[in-house]
Amino acid sequence: MRCISLFIILFCTQNLLAQQSYFKNINIPVYQNGAPIDLAWAGGIDKGAMFELDLNNDGVDDLFIFEKNNAGQPGRVTTLINNNVPNTISYEYAPQYAKNFPEMKDWAVLFDYNCDGKKDLMTWVSQGARVFKNVSQPNQSIQFQLEYPYIVADGTANAYVARTDHPCVADFDNDGDADMISVYILGSYYIYYKNLAKELFNRCDTLIMETQNNCFGQLYLGSVNNSATLGVSCRMANPDLVSQAEQEMKIDTGAIRDGGNCTYAFDYNHDGNFDLYVGDKLASSLMKLQNGGGNVMVSQDTLYPSYDVSVEMFEFPASYFIDVDNDTKKDMIISSCDKTDAGENYFGVQYYKNIGTSMLDSFNFQSNNFLVDKMIDVGSGAAPRFFDADADGLLDIIVGNKGVFQISPDSTFESGLAWYKNTGTATQPQFDLQTIDYAGLFQYTTWNDIKPTFGDLDGDGDKDMVVGIDNGSLNYFENNAPPGQAANFNLTGPNYFSMDVGKRAAPFIYDLNKDGLLDIVAGNQLGQVYYYQNIGTVTSPAYGTPVMGIGNINVVPPFSIQANATPFFFDDNGVTKMLVGNEYGYVYYFNNIDGNLGGTFTLVDSSYNHIYEPIRACLDGGDINGDGFMDIIVGNQAGGLAIYQYSASAINENGSYENMFTLYPNPAENYFVIHTNVAAKQMQLFSIEGKLIMDQKLHENYTIIKTETLQKGLYFCRVTDTRGNNSMKKIIVK
């Protein structure tokens, strides 16, 4: 009888878990200007470091894109499979590969350091660089393992790379192993780290760096623009002891060189010498330095390519050389090397086609929104809501934004609302972009970081709109449409009831106290959620003093001072529950809300249903396919969207995480051990009823979990890694 009961409990629990399984649906059709867009749900691109990489081990180079976040915060990975159509740009969004990359901050560079034909990964670590080895096997997806926690130079110190730069890796001395250059700490010279693997061991599968000189290329980078002084003699002992001419240049300009340099090595004339393509925070242009042999730079083009359309980007361009059109010639892609929320976004990826020969490359400008024009991309800071804008019974998508960067005339963001009309059916959604200025919000030129929410605040049977903006205020738009007609919004409540939630207001309309009146809750930049109780009537709302920090929720990421909380409340069979998006891209799930508005909400999950949409997840929910389950839409800082939908087989579709950790002994008496083989960060223990019993951080490899205080019975142990993937195992406590 006990065995039968245990079987029933397990069966029911597994069914409950299955009911909460979501998968990322990237196949919902989306149209722009009457044509389908192939990469609709790829999440947009603001500023992407782009590299060729064989993601699925089929022998064809695909595309890896990394976007840096603010300093010290994890960046965002986008993975696209190359369809390998000759003379054609043809990529397919493949998010399943992104989860196989380690957590990366500030910059990422790909190169094959061990000569096995597979590109390895280098990324920033405090005042230096670390390397992950590509350990992918045939017929398997991409996999990495940490090989060098730090790149050490001269046997003692870390090879220096600033977090504002990225290093340049190539075989500069043509001896068969990978060398590296990076900009010196004061930003004026390149340090040359020579790899001694060949010299010492006659092999190329290791990194043994020696500081060769502190003025690679015999040049000095300019103090006020992206230029160089050539022919500078090297000074190994003291690279800061500049020549008289250089000293006079510093005195004349009075400038202190600002940090930020991204250099790429590429042999454009195929003479066996790597030329340097220099992007710098000081300028909007790209500089090419020609290598005359022996790694001495002999000429410069400070407006490269001066023979065509010169690169011009508001701030800090960087170059990447990739065969994007499958014609066997490397094309040039330009994107900003800056963090995500500065400068160009929608028009931030420039494509130069290589029209040269096998002996001399030549780059011809093609577009300034490479791949972005094939995605849903509203600039920066996508804030989506499901809303039936045209009263046809189908949920459309309204997307607010920080804005599309306008370099002219005054380098500002044009903020508004985009309307993607649902032109599908009740069970098969399809979206078609109608306008990027829905409700005419472009006219409010001082508004920024627009986040909408909808609800019938005046009791007339249609939904009105409240918009939160960057300065923390909320603004009320009354819907004056006749019954059954498309919404017609008019601003009737600017600075609505003087509501002010600080910065980056993210409002949501919901009857939180269940008194029949719609309240307003709003998240802010610091992660707080304000609660404005409606103390008016159904037709005439009024709001009193807000409750700041309702539920005592905390969605601030580790080592961060901002969370950018975006709350969403929903009704689950009469019970109020809450999802909150945060800065890192995770979705937090809270319950214990009803009857507890003055208390602390219970955090059930800090990575709800594997949803991970960095950077700055902003979410909403609604049933767009008529299956009776809530679909979840998530916007991100890059301006793109993702949709997650219920599926009983979602775990299989998202990938198996069964090998994430081992757990022993099982059954356990006084303790059990969690052994992780991934970058795990958190363990949660649940009772069979789903109640959270224990929540604690994990050590790097082994963690002992004490069980003396636990009652005997069956529990579920969930381990979550640094990218939000998780796995659950059963544990019996005796």
Side-chain angles (χ1 to χ4, degrees), residues 161-207:
V161 185
R163 72 188 327 159
T164 54
D165 304 349
H166 70 56
C168 184
V169 183
D171 183 9
F172 287 107
D173 55 4
N174 293 303
D175 67 349
D177 55 24
D179 311 302
M180 183 176 82
I181 63 172
S182 67
V183 174
Y184 187 61
I185 191 168
L186 296 181
S188 301
Y189 296 92
Y190 288 109
I191 309 175
Y192 175 30
Y193 296 107
K194 174 179 169 55
N195 191 352
L196 300 179
K198 275 288 188 178
E199 285 79 1
L200 294 178
F201 303 111
N202 194 31
R203 67 176 201 258
C204 64
D205 60 350
T206 190
L207 295 172

Side-chain angles (χ1 to χ4, degrees), residues 331-402:
D331 307 294
M332 184 171 70
I333 304 297
I334 304 296
S335 184
S336 176
C337 206
D338 212 336
K339 60 184 184 295
T340 56
D341 55 359
E344 286 98 337
N345 41 46
Y346 187 84
F347 299 106
V349 185
Q350 300 174 7
Y351 164 42
Y352 286 77
K353 178 178 173 58
N354 190 341
I355 59 172
T357 67
S358 59
M359 299 299 294
L360 185 67
D361 295 315
S362 179
F363 300 105
N364 178 252
F365 177 77
Q366 302 292 305
S367 71
N368 61 358
N369 59 353
F370 174 68
L371 297 181
V372 180
D373 61 342
K374 301 179 183 299
M375 303 176 181
I376 295 175
D377 192 316
V378 296
S380 293
R385 291 290 182 203
F386 288 128
F387 173 64
D388 185 4
D390 53 357
D392 65 352
L394 302 177
L395 287 177
D396 309 309
I397 301 173
I398 305 296
V399 193
N401 64 1
K402 176 181 178 178

